[in-house]
Amino acid sequence: DADVTQTPRNRITKTGKRIMLECSQTKGHDRMYWYRQDPGLGLQLIYYSFDVKDINKGEISDGYSVSRQAQAKFSLSLESAIPNQTALYFCATSESGGQETQYFGPGTRLLVL
Amino acid sequence: QKEVEQNSGPLSVPEGAIASLNCTYSDRGSQSFFWYRQYSGKSPELIMFIYSNGDKEDGRFTAQLNKASQYVSLLIRDSQPSDSATYLCAVKGRNSGYALNFGKGTSLLVTP
């Protein structure tokens, strides 16, 4: 079984809809991250969480919110989806105290019409 | 100025040659440096990391770090067509709570 899972893997939604992307991990890591990736723009950090009670905005947090329900679960919400949020979304995890190597989930491909 | 810079490529090398990928960073307090490989539509996967000046070798891959010049590079020896992918440089710095800053990636094409 994969260590970092994301659901759904693909999602099509309409402008103005609220959607949630979920991430779960079995690696036992305390740190979790959400990124989006657009063609030619690389990975952009949306939010990150260093533990259940420590959530921080990344470089592009506007229009997004997150919830760290447990150490193993980190959800990303789009309160009112807009077309320019169409992208590939990745969740990642890392363990504090070491080199902070990040391990990525398989990604969620989101299309906002 | 983007904190981590990479040439977007594409970098084209013949099979069996050495591919050289470069990355520069702006935060002098950066501590650790990572190279990820990403195939189209897939998630990034770690190749290796380096945190001390000098070279670090792992199989066909060698990472090189020069903190004084603020650059890190990845050499791929005996390049194979299966190495064709986008290579992402990532830096652990001070400016985002020690989360990683990623470059935009360099596209590598290894031709048979």
Side-chain angles (χ1 to χ4, degrees):
Chain A
D1 288 342
D3 295 320
V4 185
T5 57
Q6 292 184 234
T7 55
R9 295 292 313 278
N10 295 279
R11 178 73 184 268
I12 301 174
T13 191
K14 295 182 178 180
T15 297
K17 294 291 187 180
R18 182 182 188 276
I19 66 165
M20 179 182 289
L21 309 182
E22 299 186 337
C23 177
S24 295
Q25 52 113 349
T26 59
K27 299 183 75 68
H29 289 170
D30 50 343
R31 300 185 173 189
M32 298 186 74
Y33 311 81
W34 275 106
Y35 293 91
R36 67 176 278 175
Q37 188 173 41
D38 299 272
L41 293 182
L43 288 165
Q44 297 177 280
L45 183 63
I46 306 173
Y47 271 95
Y48 59 102
S49 171
F50 283 176
D51 65 40
V52 174
K53 296 182 180 180
D54 183 3
I55 294 177
N56 305 278
K57 293 182 177 181
E59 54 186 312
I60 57 161
S61 59
D62 288 348
Y64 301 95
S65 63
V66 291
S67 174
R68 185 84 183 265
Q69 300 95 323
Q71 186 184 44
K73 295 184 182 295
F74 192 35
S75 299
L76 175 72
S77 293
L78 286 68
E79 297 300 327
S80 179
I82 56 177
N84 76 359
Q85 291 178 312
T86 293
L88 186 55
Y89 290 84
F90 289 107
C91 173
T93 73
S94 69
E95 186 173 32
S96 61
Q99 291 303 320
E100 298 285 354
T101 300
Q102 291 189 14
Y103 298 91
F104 285 80
T108 294
R109 190 172 297 279
L110 175 65
L111 174 61
V112 183
L113 300 175
Chain B
Q1 178 187 3
K2 181 72 174 177
E3 295 182 17
V4 180
E5 299 273 3
Q6 295 181 257
N7 188 321
S8 61
L11 173 66
S12 182
V13 299
E15 183 174 358
I18 296 175
S20 178
L21 305 163
N22 300 311
C23 170
T24 59
Y25 60 95
S26 60
D27 182 2
R28 284 194 172 275
S30 298
Q31 300 175 335
S32 302
F33 307 85
F34 303 81
W35 283 102
Y36 285 82
R37 177 176 62 198
Q38 185 177 27
Y39 293 109
S40 181
K42 303 297 185 181
S43 58
E45 54 180 336
L46 180 71
I47 297 174
M48 62 192 307
F49 67 85
I50 186 169
Y51 56 88
S52 297
N53 277 327
D55 296 358
K56 179 181 180 182
E57 186 174 319
D58 184 1
R60 295 187 296 113
F61 300 96
T62 299
Q64 300 175 316
L65 175 61
N66 184 323
K67 289 187 177 181
S69 299
Q70 294 178 246
Y71 83 79
V72 58
S73 62
L74 179 70
L75 301 178
I76 306 174
R77 290 181 299 281
D78 189 24
S79 296
Q80 301 298 310
S82 59
D83 294 325
S84 299
T86 296
Y87 290 79
L88 303 172
C89 173
V91 175
K92 177 183 172 183
R94 296 172 297 185
N95 296 337
S96 61
Y98 294 96
L100 294 183
N101 293 316
F102 283 84
K104 294 181 181 180
T106 298
S107 175
L108 173 67
L109 177 63
V110 181
T111 56

Short mmCIF file of all heavy atoms in Angstrom, two decimals, chain B residues 25-53:
data_model
loop_
_atom_site.label_atom_id
_atom_site.label_comp_id
_atom_site.label_asym_id
_atom_site.label_seq_id
_atom_site.Cartn_x
_atom_site.Cartn_y
_atom_site.Cartn_z
N TYR B 25 20.53 29.17 -5.74
CA TYR B 25 19.58 29.56 -4.70
C TYR B 25 20.01 30.87 -4.07
O TYR B 25 21.18 31.23 -4.09
CB TYR B 25 19.44 28.46 -3.65
CG TYR B 25 20.71 28.12 -2.93
CD1 TYR B 25 21.04 28.70 -1.71
CD2 TYR B 25 21.62 27.20 -3.48
CE1 TYR B 25 22.21 28.39 -1.06
CE2 TYR B 25 22.80 26.89 -2.84
CZ TYR B 25 23.10 27.48 -1.63
OH TYR B 25 24.27 27.17 -0.99
N SER B 26 19.05 31.58 -3.49
CA SER B 26 19.34 32.93 -3.00
C SER B 26 19.55 33.00 -1.49
O SER B 26 20.20 33.94 -1.01
CB SER B 26 18.21 33.88 -3.41
OG SER B 26 16.98 33.44 -2.87
N ASP B 27 19.01 32.06 -0.74
CA ASP B 27 19.08 32.13 0.72
C ASP B 27 20.38 31.50 1.23
O ASP B 27 20.52 30.29 1.22
CB ASP B 27 17.87 31.41 1.32
CG ASP B 27 17.84 31.47 2.83
OD1 ASP B 27 18.74 32.09 3.46
OD2 ASP B 27 16.91 30.89 3.42
N ARG B 28 21.30 32.35 1.70
CA ARG B 28 22.58 31.84 2.18
C ARG B 28 22.46 30.96 3.41
O ARG B 28 23.37 30.22 3.75
CB ARG B 28 23.53 33.00 2.48
CG ARG B 28 24.13 33.64 1.26
CD ARG B 28 25.29 34.55 1.61
NE ARG B 28 25.96 35.00 0.40
CZ ARG B 28 26.92 34.31 -0.20
NH1 ARG B 28 27.32 33.15 0.29
NH2 ARG B 28 27.48 34.76 -1.29
N GLY B 29 21.31 31.06 4.11
CA GLY B 29 21.11 30.23 5.29
C GLY B 29 20.55 28.85 4.97
O GLY B 29 20.27 28.08 5.88
N SER B 30 20.40 28.54 3.70
CA SER B 30 19.87 27.24 3.31
C SER B 30 20.75 26.12 3.84
O SER B 30 21.97 26.23 3.88
CB SER B 30 19.75 27.15 1.79
OG SER B 30 18.86 28.13 1.31
N GLN B 31 20.08 25.02 4.22
CA GLN B 31 20.80 23.97 4.94
C GLN B 31 20.92 22.67 4.17
O GLN B 31 21.92 21.98 4.26
CB GLN B 31 20.10 23.72 6.27
CG GLN B 31 20.03 24.94 7.16
CD GLN B 31 19.22 24.68 8.42
OE1 GLN B 31 18.36 23.81 8.44
NE2 GLN B 31 19.48 25.44 9.47
N SER B 32 19.85 22.31 3.48
CA SER B 32 19.83 21.02 2.80
C SER B 32 19.30 21.21 1.39
O SER B 32 18.47 22.09 1.14
CB SER B 32 18.94 20.01 3.54
OG SER B 32 19.37 19.84 4.85
N PHE B 33 19.76 20.33 0.51
CA PHE B 33 19.47 20.50 -0.91
C PHE B 33 19.08 19.14 -1.49
O PHE B 33 19.72 18.12 -1.20
CB PHE B 33 20.70 21.07 -1.62
CG PHE B 33 21.21 22.31 -0.95
CD1 PHE B 33 22.07 22.22 0.13
CD2 PHE B 33 20.79 23.56 -1.36
CE1 PHE B 33 22.51 23.36 0.80
CE2 PHE B 33 21.22 24.71 -0.71
CZ PHE B 33 22.08 24.62 0.37
N PHE B 34 18.03 19.17 -2.29
CA PHE B 34 17.43 17.91 -2.75
C PHE B 34 17.27 17.94 -4.26
O PHE B 34 17.00 18.98 -4.86
CB PHE B 34 16.04 17.73 -2.13
CG PHE B 34 16.04 17.74 -0.61
CD1 PHE B 34 16.08 18.93 0.09
CD2 PHE B 34 16.00 16.55 0.09
CE1 PHE B 34 16.08 18.94 1.48
CE2 PHE B 34 16.00 16.55 1.48
CZ PHE B 34 16.04 17.74 2.17
N TRP B 35 17.38 16.77 -4.85
CA TRP B 35 17.04 16.59 -6.26
C TRP B 35 15.93 15.56 -6.36
O TRP B 35 16.03 14.46 -5.81
CB TRP B 35 18.25 16.11 -7.07
CG TRP B 35 19.22 17.21 -7.36
CD1 TRP B 35 20.41 17.46 -6.72
CD2 TRP B 35 19.10 18.20 -8.38
NE1 TRP B 35 21.02 18.55 -7.28
CE2 TRP B 35 20.23 19.02 -8.30
CE3 TRP B 35 18.14 18.48 -9.36
CZ2 TRP B 35 20.44 20.11 -9.16
CZ3 TRP B 35 18.34 19.55 -10.20
CH2 TRP B 35 19.48 20.35 -10.11
N TYR B 36 14.87 15.97 -7.05
CA TYR B 36 13.73 15.09 -7.31
C TYR B 36 13.62 14.88 -8.81
O TYR B 36 13.91 15.77 -9.61
CB TYR B 36 12.43 15.71 -6.80
CG TYR B 36 12.23 15.67 -5.31
CD1 TYR B 36 12.81 16.64 -4.49
CD2 TYR B 36 11.46 14.68 -4.71
CE1 TYR B 36 12.63 16.61 -3.11
CE2 TYR B 36 11.26 14.66 -3.34
CZ TYR B 36 11.84 15.62 -2.55
OH TYR B 36 11.65 15.59 -1.19
N ARG B 37 13.12 13.73 -9.19
CA ARG B 37 12.80 13.44 -10.58
C ARG B 37 11.29 13.33 -10.71
O ARG B 37 10.63 12.72 -9.85
CB ARG B 37 13.46 12.13 -11.01
CG ARG B 37 13.14 11.68 -12.43
CD ARG B 37 13.92 10.42 -12.77
NE ARG B 37 13.57 9.31 -11.91
CZ ARG B 37 14.32 8.23 -11.76
NH1 ARG B 37 15.48 8.12 -12.42
NH2 ARG B 37 13.93 7.27 -10.96
N GLN B 38 10.75 13.90 -11.77
CA GLN B 38 9.32 13.85 -11.97
C GLN B 38 9.02 13.50 -13.42
O GLN B 38 9.38 14.24 -14.34
CB GLN B 38 8.65 15.18 -11.61
CG GLN B 38 7.14 15.15 -11.69
CD GLN B 38 6.49 16.45 -11.26
OE1 GLN B 38 7.08 17.52 -11.36
NE2 GLN B 38 5.24 16.37 -10.80
N TYR B 39 8.36 12.37 -13.61
CA TYR B 39 7.88 12.01 -14.94
C TYR B 39 6.55 12.72 -15.16
O TYR B 39 5.83 13.03 -14.22
CB TYR B 39 7.70 10.50 -15.05
CG TYR B 39 9.01 9.73 -14.98
CD1 TYR B 39 9.33 8.96 -13.86
CD2 TYR B 39 9.92 9.77 -16.02
CE1 TYR B 39 10.53 8.26 -13.79
CE2 TYR B 39 11.12 9.09 -15.96
CZ TYR B 39 11.41 8.34 -14.83
OH TYR B 39 12.60 7.66 -14.77
N SER B 40 6.24 12.94 -16.41
CA SER B 40 5.05 13.70 -16.78
C SER B 40 3.79 13.12 -16.15
O SER B 40 3.50 11.93 -16.29
CB SER B 40 4.91 13.72 -18.30
OG SER B 40 3.78 14.47 -18.68
N GLY B 41 3.06 13.94 -15.42
CA GLY B 41 1.81 13.52 -14.81
C GLY B 41 1.96 12.72 -13.53
O GLY B 41 0.96 12.30 -12.93
N LYS B 42 3.20 12.51 -13.12
CA LYS B 42 3.46 11.72 -11.91
C LYS B 42 3.98 12.62 -10.79
O LYS B 42 4.26 13.79 -10.99
CB LYS B 42 4.49 10.62 -12.20
CG LYS B 42 4.07 9.68 -13.31
CD LYS B 42 2.83 8.91 -12.96
CE LYS B 42 2.49 7.89 -14.04
NZ LYS B 42 1.25 7.13 -13.72
N SER B 43 4.09 12.04 -9.61
CA SER B 43 4.57 12.82 -8.47
C SER B 43 6.10 12.83 -8.43
O SER B 43 6.75 11.92 -8.94
CB SER B 43 4.00 12.25 -7.17
OG SER B 43 4.37 10.90 -7.01
N PRO B 44 6.68 13.85 -7.82
CA PRO B 44 8.14 13.89 -7.68
C PRO B 44 8.64 12.75 -6.80
O PRO B 44 8.02 12.41 -5.80
CB PRO B 44 8.39 15.24 -7.01
CG PRO B 44 7.16 16.06 -7.29
CD PRO B 44 6.04 15.08 -7.30
N GLU B 45 9.78 12.19 -7.19
CA GLU B 45 10.40 11.16 -6.38
C GLU B 45 11.84 11.57 -6.08
O GLU B 45 12.54 12.09 -6.94
CB GLU B 45 10.37 9.80 -7.08
CG GLU B 45 10.94 9.80 -8.47
CD GLU B 45 10.88 8.44 -9.13
OE1 GLU B 45 10.84 7.41 -8.41
OE2 GLU B 45 10.90 8.39 -10.37
N LEU B 46 12.25 11.34 -4.84
CA LEU B 46 13.57 11.78 -4.41
C LEU B 46 14.67 10.97 -5.08
O LEU B 46 14.62 9.74 -5.12
CB LEU B 46 13.69 11.62 -2.90
CG LEU B 46 15.03 12.05 -2.30
CD1 LEU B 46 15.16 13.57 -2.34
CD2 LEU B 46 15.16 11.55 -0.85
N ILE B 47 15.67 11.69 -5.61
CA ILE B 47 16.87 11.04 -6.12
C ILE B 47 17.93 11.02 -5.04
O ILE B 47 18.48 9.97 -4.71
CB ILE B 47 17.40 11.77 -7.37
CG1 ILE B 47 16.38 11.72 -8.50
CG2 ILE B 47 18.73 11.16 -7.81
CD1 ILE B 47 16.79 12.55 -9.70
N MET B 48 18.23 12.20 -4.50
CA MET B 48 19.23 12.28 -3.44
C MET B 48 19.21 13.65 -2.81
O MET B 48 18.62 14.57 -3.34
CB MET B 48 20.63 11.96 -3.97
CG MET B 48 21.16 12.89 -5.03
SD MET B 48 22.65 12.23 -5.83
CE MET B 48 23.71 11.89 -4.42
N PHE B 49 19.84 13.74 -1.64
CA PHE B 49 20.00 15.04 -1.00
C PHE B 49 21.47 15.23 -0.62
O PHE B 49 22.24 14.27 -0.52
CB PHE B 49 19.10 15.17 0.23
CG PHE B 49 19.46 14.26 1.37
CD1 PHE B 49 20.43 14.63 2.29
CD2 PHE B 49 18.82 13.05 1.52
CE1 PHE B 49 20.76 13.79 3.35
CE2 PHE B 49 19.15 12.20 2.57
CZ PHE B 49 20.12 12.57 3.48
N ILE B 50 21.83 16.48 -0.39
CA ILE B 50 23.20 16.82 0.00
C ILE B 50 23.14 17.99 0.94
O ILE B 50 22.29 18.88 0.79
CB ILE B 50 24.07 17.11 -1.24
CG1 ILE B 50 25.54 17.32 -0.86
CG2 ILE B 50 23.53 18.30 -2.04
CD1 ILE B 50 26.47 17.35 -2.08
N TYR B 51 24.01 18.02 1.94
CA TYR B 51 24.01 19.16 2.85
C TYR B 51 25.41 19.67 3.16
O TYR B 51 25.57 20.70 3.82
CB TYR B 51 23.29 18.82 4.16
CG TYR B 51 23.82 17.61 4.88
CD1 TYR B 51 24.87 17.72 5.77
CD2 TYR B 51 23.26 16.36 4.66
CE1 TYR B 51 25.35 16.61 6.43
CE2 TYR B 51 23.74 15.26 5.31
CZ TYR B 51 24.78 15.37 6.20
OH TYR B 51 25.27 14.27 6.85
N SER B 52 26.45 18.97 2.71
CA SER B 52 27.82 19.44 2.92
C SER B 52 28.44 19.82 1.58
O SER B 52 28.14 19.21 0.55
CB SER B 52 28.66 18.35 3.56
OG SER B 52 28.17 18.02 4.83
N ASN B 53 29.31 20.81 1.61
CA ASN B 53 30.03 21.18 0.40
C ASN B 53 30.78 19.98 -0.18
O ASN B 53 31.30 19.14 0.56
CB ASN B 53 31.04 22.29 0.70
CG ASN B 53 30.41 23.67 0.67
OD1 ASN B 53 29.49 23.93 -0.09
ND2 ASN B 53 30.90 24.55 1.53
#
